[in-house]
Amino acid sequence: MKNDYICAMKMIRFLILALVIVLPNISRAASPEEVAASAMEGYELFMRDSLPDDRQKGYDLMLSAAWEGDAKAANNVGWLLQHGEFVEKDLKGAFRWYERAADQGLPVAALNYMELILNNADEVLGGKLPDKDRMAKASALAGTAMLMGRGLPYDSKRGEDLLLRAALFGDEQAMMTVAQQLEMYPDSFSYLPLEEIAKQCDSLLPECDKVIPEGMPLSEFADHMLTPGFWYDKVEIDKCKK
């Protein structure tokens, strides 16, 4: 019995000692502020005129912060992958990082996400259709940011182009904004390549969500796009579909 007691006490002391050693080394989850600081440190290391070792460290910090959920870091990693800067060019990888950051509400990532879809759809989508709601949200986010000059440089033409695409993709707020703007300023959007925009957006939508009625000439559909009533009707139709 005495030997059993001694063995038990030794085991308890061993467990206590193990906890004393291990507990301080258990890593806690980094706070959003710490992740953002790490992302910024990585960006500064990467962008400054520094040694290659600093660029690798900077990239590693940005990548780690991107995985931790920092939208700016995710967008930066996406940009590097898109342009093959420091890393091997990978448009699909860039697209995934842009998507991740755009979902978090970062306007520049939403713009990058949409531009990859519009300019490199075959490569980044692999023959599949993109997420309709995600496209609508990203187009609206980037377009609104450009029109307001917040989060992106002010650019009325590109902003209205993206806002119109968001409306075609089914973003209700974008549809209402387009309709209201046309009521106040009937010449709005008329300078854009409406037929090209409509055709490209239609090609990215599933059959059940096509916006150009079968058999309708593109020129006629473009004329409809410049009337407030078209967009108000579309809002009601989309509501019924839901």
Side-chain angles (χ1 to χ4, degrees):
M1 290 293 293
K2 184 176 180 181
N3 288 338
D4 290 343
Y5 174 78
I6 293 173
C7 288
M9 292 302 296
K10 285 183 178 180
M11 180 60 70
I12 292 171
R13 281 160 52 184
F14 172 78
L15 291 173
I16 291 174
L17 180 60
L19 286 172
V20 170
I21 294 172
V22 171
L23 283 177
N25 294 308
I26 295 177
S27 59
R28 63 179 180 82
S31 69
E33 292 77 14
E34 290 170 328
V35 173
S38 178
M40 179 56 68
E41 181 186 357
Y43 177 79
E44 290 174 347
L45 282 172
F46 190 88
M47 295 304 295
R48 76 185 186 190
D49 186 15
S50 57
L51 297 173
D53 285 348
D54 286 334
R55 284 167 65 83
Q56 183 62 58
K57 181 180 178 182
Y59 177 76
D60 290 343
L61 285 170
M62 285 192 292
L63 184 60
S64 176
W67 281 116
E68 288 288 338
D70 186 88
K72 291 181 179 179
N75 182 70
N76 289 339
V77 171
W79 190 93
L80 294 174
L81 288 168
Q82 179 183 355
H83 297 279
E85 182 74 27
F86 189 73
V87 293
E88 185 177 349
K89 188 173 182 178
D90 179 3
L91 289 187
K92 285 187 177 180
F95 182 70
R96 288 192 292 270
W97 283 115
Y98 287 151
E99 181 180 84
R100 188 182 182 113
D103 285 349
Q104 293 176 261
L106 186 66
V108 65
L111 177 63
N112 291 333
Y113 168 81
M114 282 308 305
E115 288 192 338
L116 275 185
I117 289 179
L118 297 175
N119 299 319
N120 304 90
D122 290 341
E123 187 167 352
V124 300
L125 298 174
K128 298 179 181 179
L129 289 175
D131 185 293
K132 172 178 174 283
D133 293 333
R134 183 173 272 136
M135 277 196 306
K137 182 179 178 181
S139 297
L141 176 62
T144 302
M146 282 187 158
L147 289 170
M148 298 180 68
R150 295 180 182 177
L152 284 169
Y154 174 76
D155 188 330
S156 60
K157 184 176 181 179
R158 293 181 75 194
E160 288 192 348
D161 181 299
L162 285 164
L163 187 66
L164 195 61
R165 291 176 190 274
L168 288 170
F169 290 140
D171 184 88
E172 183 177 330
Q173 184 58 54
M175 287 189 278
M176 293 297 294
T177 300
V178 170
Q180 291 164 0
Q181 186 165 330
L182 285 168
E183 282 184 329
M184 294 185 291
Y185 308 103
D187 292 334
S188 297
F189 308 101
S190 59
Y191 64 97
L192 295 173
L194 298 176
E195 293 183 21
E196 179 185 329
I197 290 172
K199 185 177 180 180
Q200 189 174 33
C201 288
D202 218 42
S203 70
L204 294 168
L205 293 170
E207 287 297 327
C208 60
D209 289 317
K210 297 292 187 186
V211 292
I212 304 173
E214 187 175 355
M216 178 180 287
L218 271 175
S219 58
E220 183 179 342
F221 184 75
D223 289 338
H224 286 318
M225 289 168 64
L226 294 176
T227 61
F230 170 82
W231 296 107
Y232 287 131
D233 289 344
K234 184 166 168 50
V235 169
E236 295 305 316
I237 292 170
D238 283 8
K239 283 182 178 178
C240 289
K241 285 183 178 180
K242 295 176 182 178

